[in-house]
Amino acid sequence: MIKRLLSFLDASPVNFLAVKNISEELEKNGFHRINPQEPLGKVEAGDKFFVTKNDSSIYAFQIGKKSLADGGFHMICAHCDSPTFRIKPNAEMLCEGGIVKLNTEVYGGPIMSTWFDRPLTLAGRVIVKGENAMNPQTLLLHIQRPLLQISNLAIHFNRQVNDGVKLSKQKDVLPILGIINDELEKGNLLMNVITGELNIKKEDILDFDLYLADATPACTFGVHQEFISSGRLDDLSMCWAGVEAMIAADATSSSDTSAFETTRVLAIFDNEETGSQTKQGAGSPFLSHMLQRIALAQSGTEEAYYQAVERAFMISADNAHAWHPNYSEKFDPTNHPMLGGGLVIKFNAAQKYASDAVSAAIFASICDAAGVPCQRFVNHSDVAGGSTLGNILASSIPLKGVDMGNAILAMHSCRETGSVIDHEYCVKAFTMFYQL
């Protein structure tokens, strides 16, 4: 199970590739892709299908024996974007000695210093000419070798570096791409990399969405190999746990048809790290539209969708903060989850999370049925916390739901740390949820 997670993390340096890899895994397990531009058609019990939006969010459905109106749906939500650096247009900056660096902008809220002095690569999508102006072609790019680096200034020129340094997003975090050794390379170094990797012509490139990614593979570490070290654990580990649970629950249903009563939904959104207010984010009505279309196809009435929402339950799966042994003062004295201690239910009095006493009790009962421990997280009252997609989604679809995740260290670092056993716990709990 952990080898599969590590492979998925390595193959998914950006949202577009994560969605591609999840799509392929679903298709291997009998799900078929549908086109949202076309009528949904007849929907029957046992149907398995998925749809994508912007190539960066994906929504999978497995229809239960009960209609949505009668049974509601069980939904797991996560997000596939992570903090990084986006390559700007006209990115090449020629410096003295022929050194070329790339102009970038920050995506989300990374711990910028963790990106220094490590091998980086490029990944994303490149848009090329298609049949006509309204239908360009999308090509995915993942350069699977070290290509760039953001280098620190030597301590000799910055004696205060270990006292804390304020970093400029425009100056300090621009990666070095290479050295020009041919006049023809001037202004073309990045394009030469793209065209060479994709075997296309420069004049066919219309635009791109490209991002920096850590080139070092994900791994386990610790005396007992009990920890996971990787970029993008937040939140690709939750995405993959949802995929594995849906497939595992489907395998159980195939051998016991009576177990599959309630429709299962896996919703993986984009742009959570920037507020979710995009067509592919949790603030979009796209998911609610799909659920309405399914309910209407089953019953012929819009009322079925509203009944389904009232019977539904949502797990908003986004990683939580693990207690840090070097910074215990930053954590709530009685609610600080531990690595390896089980799944984390998240609470916030300002309603940054969807959890309340009812939904938390339901999720804790699911964990108990799966034989999985769970913990509680509440922010230290003097430390501001973040939010996630659960409450954003619930503001447009009034779902009963819980915000949870696995505890990790160094959230938003270039490399985060999680627990092997917690990931195994998560898949077990998610599978149990889908089987209820």
Side-chain angles (χ1 to χ4, degrees), residues 139-153:
L139 302 176
L140 298 184
L141 177 70
H142 181 192
I143 300 175
Q144 298 187 39
R145 62 182 175 90
L147 183 68
L148 312 101
Q149 183 167 292
I150 303 171
S151 292
N152 255 305
L153 181 64

Side-chain angles (χ1 to χ4, degrees), residues 133-420:
M134 295 300 295
N135 293 282
Q137 184 182 0
T138 297
L139 302 176
L140 298 184
L141 177 70
H142 181 192
I143 300 175
Q144 298 187 39
R145 62 182 175 90
L147 183 68
L148 312 101
Q149 183 167 292
I150 303 171
S151 292
N152 255 305
L153 181 64
I155 193 170
H156 309 76
F157 302 122
N158 185 6
R159 296 289 183 179
Q160 290 74 44
V161 66
N162 292 323
D163 299 326
V165 174
K166 181 176 176 59
L167 296 173
S168 165
K169 296 177 182 178
Q170 184 59 66
K171 180 181 184 297
D172 296 318
V173 289
L174 303 185
I176 298 170
L177 176 62
I179 298 177
I180 296 289
N181 57 24
D182 187 314
E183 282 295 313
L184 295 177
E185 288 185 328
K186 288 186 177 179
N188 294 307
L189 206 59
L190 178 58
M191 280 299 173
N192 288 347
V193 171
I194 295 171
T195 56
E197 286 286 327
L198 297 178
N199 194 26
I200 56 177
K201 298 177 181 179
K202 178 181 177 181
E203 54 267 27
D204 288 336
I205 297 176
L206 301 174
D207 215 324
F208 55 72
D209 290 314
L210 295 178
Y211 300 85
L212 299 185
D214 184 11
T216 305
C219 66
T220 57
F221 73 98
V223 172
H224 309 292
Q225 297 296 303
E226 62 265 55
F227 302 117
I228 301 171
S229 173
S230 175
R232 308 173 304 281
L233 285 177
D234 176 31
D235 193 36
L236 290 186
S237 61
M238 295 291 97
C239 296
W240 192 244
V243 172
E244 294 230 308
M246 181 165 269
I247 292 169
D250 182 37
T252 303
S253 300
S254 299
S255 61
D256 181 8
T257 54
S258 65
F260 184 25
E261 298 285 336
T262 305
T263 292
R264 301 159 180 163
V265 181
L266 177 64
I268 296 174
F269 299 99
D270 192 12
N271 303 131
E272 190 274 345
E273 300 293 355
T274 57
S276 297
Q277 301 303 312
T278 62
K279 62 186 180 299
Q280 59 273 359
S284 165
F286 182 78
L287 175 59
S288 66
H289 289 173
M290 285 302 306
L291 291 167
Q292 289 176 54
R293 291 170 70 176
I294 293 170
L296 187 61
Q298 285 183 324
S299 67
T301 172
E302 292 184 3
E303 183 66 23
Y305 166 72
Y306 301 104
Q307 291 176 269
V309 168
E310 293 304 312
R311 291 187 167 96
F313 192 86
M314 167 192 68
I315 295 176
S316 169
D318 199 356
N319 284 305
H321 298 293
W323 179 81
H324 196 303
N326 295 344
Y327 302 97
S328 60
E329 72 279 3
K330 295 292 185 180
F331 295 84
D332 183 77
T334 61
N335 296 281
H336 46 266
M338 309 298 293
L339 286 171
L343 306 187
V344 179
I345 302 172
K346 301 190 285 188
F347 295 91
N348 183 269
Q351 306 303 303
K352 296 280 185 74
Y353 301 131
S355 310
D356 57 26
V358 174
S359 63
I362 291 171
F363 184 72
S365 297
I366 294 168
C367 290
D368 185 60
V372 169
C374 64
Q375 311 176 79
R376 267 71 172 174
F377 171 81
V378 184
N379 278 307
H380 188 292
S381 296
D382 294 329
V383 177
S387 61
T388 185
L389 51 84
N391 62 329
I392 294 172
L393 182 62
S395 66
S396 59
I397 308 176
L399 295 164
K400 180 189 299 180
V402 64
D403 263 300
M404 56 72 62
N406 280 340
I408 65 171
L409 293 173
M411 187 179 290
H412 289 196
S413 171
C414 190
R415 287 186 79 86
E416 299 160 327
T417 296
S419 161
V420 167

